[in-house]
Amino acid sequence: MQFQSNNPQSGATLIEILIASSVFIVVLILSLGAATEFSDYGKQADADAGIQLDCHRAFSRVESILRQGWTTPVISSDGTSVEVEVLGYEYDSVNETWQRIDPATWKRQYDTSTASYYFVDGDGFELPVANCLVEWQRNSTDPNSSDYYFGKLICTLSDGGVNSTMWTLSENLGTFETHENGDRKNAFEFILSGKSIEVRLHMQRDENEVPYSIRSRIQQRNFLDGQ
């Protein structure tokens, strides 16, 4: 006995449904895979953007400070700190804060006895000078600790006496990058280059992230010849 189908298209329709279902499942899997990949890429892009923002913010703060330098910079042996003298800053012991004399009132004078320049304020008084230390300070002093390669950027302003104030400019600065000899790079490196300060900033908070670097020379705005 043979069975005949009343609908000769039913078999073909079933196959089409199965094929369509298979294609749908494949497309769904590919779509989910692509969505996951784009999600991971988005997270990575966000992380990179965050690192770049932190780098530029830290560099901008360092630049604004070092441009006010008055004397030849003093850089530490490991290149992680730089000290300069800055003009126009004095400590207000009454309000316990630092005040800066308006640069618009500054006037440059020449001392014939010493053959050097100096600045005075609007009333003719010589501008006060403060010591400014910009330093990348490690989170740990133990070279075997992972915190040793990360640290914060600090700025300390002092008048050479008892008055000294420290600010944190940026935190969690570090990198997993290494030099050719295998040594880890410091997050901040200061190098004296003529009358300029070369600043190198390296950032990478995770080994899987793409490292980001900034390298630039900062010219001290108030540096004068013949000092």
Side-chain angles (χ1 to χ4, degrees):
M1 180 180 296
Q2 295 182 350
F3 293 93
Q4 295 182 351
S5 173
N6 294 327
N7 184 1
Q9 300 298 324
S10 60
T13 303
L14 180 59
I15 293 175
E16 289 175 356
I17 292 175
L18 292 175
I19 293 175
S21 299
S22 300
V23 171
F24 174 76
I25 292 173
V26 171
V27 171
L28 180 61
I29 293 174
L30 292 176
S31 298
L32 291 175
T36 302
E37 183 177 351
F38 278 116
S39 177
D40 292 340
Y41 175 79
K43 292 178 181 178
Q44 181 66 37
D46 289 342
D48 290 345
I51 288 178
Q52 293 182 35
L53 179 61
D54 289 344
C55 279
H56 285 282
R57 183 186 293 116
F59 180 82
S60 177
R61 291 171 178 172
V62 170
E63 182 181 35
S64 64
I65 293 171
L66 296 183
R67 282 195 181 280
Q68 301 177 44
W70 165 247
T71 55
T72 303
V74 178
I75 298 176
S76 62
S77 58
D78 62 356
T80 59
S81 70
V82 57
E83 185 174 6
V84 294
E85 291 184 349
V86 290
L87 286 172
Y89 286 91
E90 58 183 353
Y91 189 77
D92 184 348
S93 57
V94 176
N95 297 313
E96 297 184 343
T97 185
W98 288 90
Q99 302 288 345
R100 191 188 187 197
I101 299 173
D102 185 1
T105 65
W106 297 4
K107 296 179 181 179
R108 190 177 71 171
Q109 303 291 338
Y110 183 75
D111 187 345
T112 55
S113 62
T114 60
S116 62
Y117 290 98
Y118 64 97
F119 283 95
V120 297
D121 60 19
D123 296 323
F125 294 103
E126 189 170 350
L127 289 177
V129 178
N131 297 321
C132 180
L133 175 67
V134 179
E135 177 185 14
W136 176 63
Q137 191 177 82
R138 300 180 187 274
N139 290 334
S140 172
T141 57
D142 181 9
N144 296 318
S145 171
S146 58
D147 289 336
Y148 181 78
Y149 299 99
F150 287 83
K152 58 185 178 181
L153 186 66
I154 61 174
C155 175
T156 304
L157 198 62
S158 63
D159 57 8
V162 296
N163 300 312
S164 178
T165 306
M166 184 180 72
W167 295 271
T168 298
L169 304 179
S170 187
E171 295 183 308
N172 196 25
L173 300 175
T175 184
F176 290 89
E177 292 180 275
T178 60
H179 294 285
E180 293 182 357
N181 61 2
D183 293 340
R184 285 272 286 272
K185 292 182 178 180
N186 295 326
F188 260 93
E189 295 177 274
F190 300 100
I191 301 172
L192 186 60
S193 179
K195 297 176 183 177
S196 301
I197 304 170
E198 183 176 312
V199 180
R200 299 178 182 179
L201 172 56
H202 308 281
M203 180 78 82
Q204 185 187 22
R205 293 191 175 127
D206 188 280
E207 291 184 89
N208 297 321
E209 291 179 348
V210 177
Y212 187 76
S213 301
I214 296 178
R215 178 180 177 180
S216 182
R217 290 185 179 181
I218 299 175
Q219 176 71 48
Q220 296 183 101
R221 185 180 296 115
N222 297 321
F223 189 90
L224 297 174
D225 292 327
Q227 296 189 86

